[in-house]
Amino acid sequence: MPRGQKKRSIDDYFSNPKKAKAGETSATGGWEKSTNGDLLVYQKNMSSSEKIAGYDMDGTLIATQSGKVFATSYDDWKILYSEVPGKLKKLHDSGYKIVIFTNQAGIGTGKHTVEGIQKKIESIIQKLGVPIQVFVSTGKGEYRKPAIGMWNFFQNEANGGVEVDLDKSIYVGDAAGRPAEGKKKKDFSFSDRLFALNVGLKFYTPEEHFLDVKTQAFNMPDFDPREVDASLPLYDPLTTKVPGHKLEVIILVGFPGSGKSFFCSTHLVPLGYVSANRDTIGSWQKCISLMEKSLKDGKHVVIDNTNPDLDSRKRYIEAAKKCGVPVRCFIFATSKDHSRHNNKFREFSGEDHSKVSDMVFNMYKSKYVEPTLKEGFHDIVKVNFIPHFKNKSEEKLYRMFLLEK
């Protein structure tokens, strides 16, 4: 977090989004951007309505003229279906406010320019022939679908104070989790369907909405944050005791974001365990030095690293055996996507954790070898992830889908 920047709370995420500075607009009229630069808004002060017809843009309202998956230029587009303009006009005439919510992370990476995307969107609106308000997420943070930062900004800052009637409103998008069918490839993500689900809007694919096709088959993500059970026991087996020996070493095994450090600080350190963490100490050699010194001082030790493979665990097991101390393995029963979700939640809630890339999660998974007693462990314990929330807003955010795929 940049020096001097105020840390945001979960409540800010829902009710007090970052406002655009007065007069902070782009070179193209009608555009404004948020103070952190990750959100562009077109026609912020457009007339309000309780009925919203929300749309994704690429693959929903437009397709590439070239037929390629990605546009070759800012002019490489065409209206997806001939029915699109008429449908939008009919909705507008019926009192619906037409709003586009689009992810354009290419702006944040430098692949696209702000001016290029702005002119493209203005040309699309002109072609469609109806007033449209637009929200553009330019990064990979809280405004990017399926997170609802764009919706929160729209509802709190750009609808004239009018509360949206979710029962009368809809959202349409092509990132719907549909499987491959015939020559048609599977959808690239779930982001549009999950965005609508997070907000509470009825969802339709472009084919369902514009062409009146029957409801299309779709899949949901393997990990569902709504189903994380806070009533599970912490340990499996239930008879697990901590400490389990007069003096011991516990080696933690689990994905980044699986809850190891929280478990360590909440359940082990208060009992006198010394935490050896490679991220804070600097190397596994230093972790072993700290472990050996702590054991000589008569203190329990917990190795708070990911420890996915045999080699990463072996070095600690051998060092503990030289000290004549039993070693236990605590495996965190948190899946890859659950851990990715936890990491994204930390990012959105302003916790002081560094972002973990998908490459790191994939690397852990590729290295992972299931721990066994043959490695030299006295026993192996499974640790369930038990979510803890400071307030209802924090739980509300956690239960939302935060991963697009």
Side-chain angles (χ1 to χ4, degrees):
M1 182 177 295
R3 184 177 298 174
Q5 180 175 321
K6 184 180 178 181
K7 184 176 179 179
R8 300 186 70 209
S9 68
I10 292 289
D11 289 329
D12 288 335
Y13 179 80
F14 291 106
S15 60
N16 187 26
K18 303 177 183 70
K19 296 182 179 181
K21 294 178 181 178
E24 185 176 14
T25 61
S26 70
T28 308
W31 288 93
E32 299 184 15
K33 64 180 178 179
S34 63
T35 55
N36 70 355
D38 285 347
L39 179 67
L40 296 174
V41 183
Y42 183 65
Q43 302 296 0
K44 178 183 174 184
N45 297 318
M46 183 176 167
S47 59
S48 57
S49 177
E50 67 171 1
K51 297 192 299 182
I52 302 302
Y55 296 89
D56 177 47
M57 186 174 73
D58 299 298
T60 299
L61 296 176
I62 63 170
T64 61
Q65 183 73 47
S66 65
K68 295 185 177 181
V69 176
F70 300 106
T72 58
S73 70
Y74 297 116
D75 297 323
D76 182 18
W77 63 269
K78 64 179 180 179
I79 301 302
L80 181 64
Y81 301 122
S82 60
E83 292 85 353
V84 171
K87 183 78 170 184
L88 297 188
K89 186 177 187 305
K90 183 177 180 181
L91 287 168
H92 176 260
D93 291 345
S94 299
Y96 281 84
K97 184 179 186 179
I98 311 299
V99 185
I100 291 175
F101 298 93
T102 178
N103 288 344
Q104 299 290 335
I107 293 176
T109 62
K111 184 177 180 180
H112 300 302
T113 66
V114 170
E115 293 77 12
I117 293 295
Q118 288 175 335
K119 290 179 180 178
K120 177 179 179 178
I121 288 173
E122 290 179 14
S123 297
I124 292 168
I125 293 174
Q126 185 177 16
K127 183 74 172 179
L128 292 172
V130 292
I132 300 179
Q133 191 174 42
V134 185
F135 297 83
V136 181
S137 170
T138 63
K140 294 188 176 181
E142 65 190 86
Y143 294 123
R144 184 172 176 82
K145 296 177 294 185
I148 63 171
M150 281 194 287
W151 177 267
N152 289 337
F153 193 100
F154 157 70
Q155 176 64 88
N156 296 322
E157 300 293 327
N159 199 36
V162 175
E163 187 74 21
V164 174
D165 188 329
L166 297 177
D167 291 333
K168 296 178 181 178
S169 300
I170 62 170
Y171 184 73
V172 183
D174 66 313
R178 291 168 293 181
E181 185 178 354
K183 294 183 179 181
K184 183 177 175 59
K185 296 181 180 180
K186 70 175 184 178
D187 288 342
F188 65 92
S189 83
F190 305 88
S191 61
D192 287 319
R193 186 179 296 277
L194 299 182
F195 175 74
L197 182 61
N198 285 339
V199 172
L201 295 166
K202 291 188 289 290
F203 177 79
Y204 301 94
T205 65
E207 293 81 359
E208 292 166 352
H209 181 63
F210 294 116
L211 305 181
D212 295 323
V213 304
K214 65 179 182 179
T215 301
Q216 296 177 294
F218 65 92
N219 297 317
M220 288 292 286
D222 292 333
F223 170 69
D224 188 334
R226 300 169 300 180
E227 297 177 356
V228 176
D229 190 353
S231 67
L232 290 173
L234 181 59
Y235 300 118
D236 180 9
L238 291 171
T239 54
T240 299
K241 293 183 179 180
V242 179
H245 301 87
K246 184 177 180 180
L247 189 62
E248 70 176 3
V249 171
I250 292 178
I251 296 179
L252 306 185
V253 175
F255 279 103
S258 60
K260 298 185 302 300
S261 294
F262 178 82
F263 168 81
C264 194
S265 62
T266 303
H267 298 285
L268 298 183
V269 172
L271 296 178
Y273 285 76
V274 174
S275 174
N277 184 299
R278 186 172 176 176
D279 291 338
T280 56
I281 295 177
S283 68
W284 64 264
Q285 290 91 343
K286 290 183 178 180
C287 287
I288 286 181
S289 295
L290 177 60
M291 180 182 78
E292 292 173 338
K293 179 182 183 304
S294 300
L295 292 176
K296 289 179 181 178
D297 293 340
K299 297 179 181 179
H300 302 293
V301 176
V302 53
I303 306 299
D304 179 17
N305 300 320
T306 58
N307 302 309
D309 55 0
L310 297 174
D311 289 341
S312 62
R313 301 189 289 261
K314 182 179 179 180
R315 55 178 69 115
Y316 300 114
I317 294 171
E318 290 182 345
K321 283 185 175 181
K322 288 180 181 178
C323 296
V325 176
V327 183
R328 295 200 288 171
C329 179
F330 281 32
I331 304 175
F332 284 72
T334 313
S335 69
K336 174 185 172 183
D337 285 344
H338 188 174
S339 299
R340 290 174 61 225
H341 174 87
N342 289 346
N343 184 62
K344 184 64 71 172
F345 171 77
R346 290 170 177 174
E347 177 186 338
F348 290 169
S349 60
E351 292 186 27
D352 294 326
H353 286 271
S354 58
K355 297 179 183 179
V356 182
S357 69
D358 282 346
M359 182 183 69
V360 174
F361 287 103
N362 293 335
M363 186 179 301
Y364 175 92
K365 186 175 181 179
S366 68
K367 289 184 176 182
Y368 180 73
V369 177
E370 185 78 16
T372 68
L373 295 176
K374 291 181 180 179
E375 294 178 55
F377 292 117
H378 184 273
D379 66 354
I380 297 175
V381 176
K382 185 175 82 170
V383 180
N384 290 313
F385 182 85
I386 313 298
H388 297 273
F389 307 109
K390 298 174 184 176
N391 50 53
K392 290 294 184 181
S393 293
E394 194 170 84
E395 180 172 9
K396 181 180 178 182
L397 176 60
Y398 189 85
R399 298 295 183 184
M400 289 184 180
F401 290 90
L402 303 178
L403 304 176
E404 56 190 286
K405 55 185 175 182

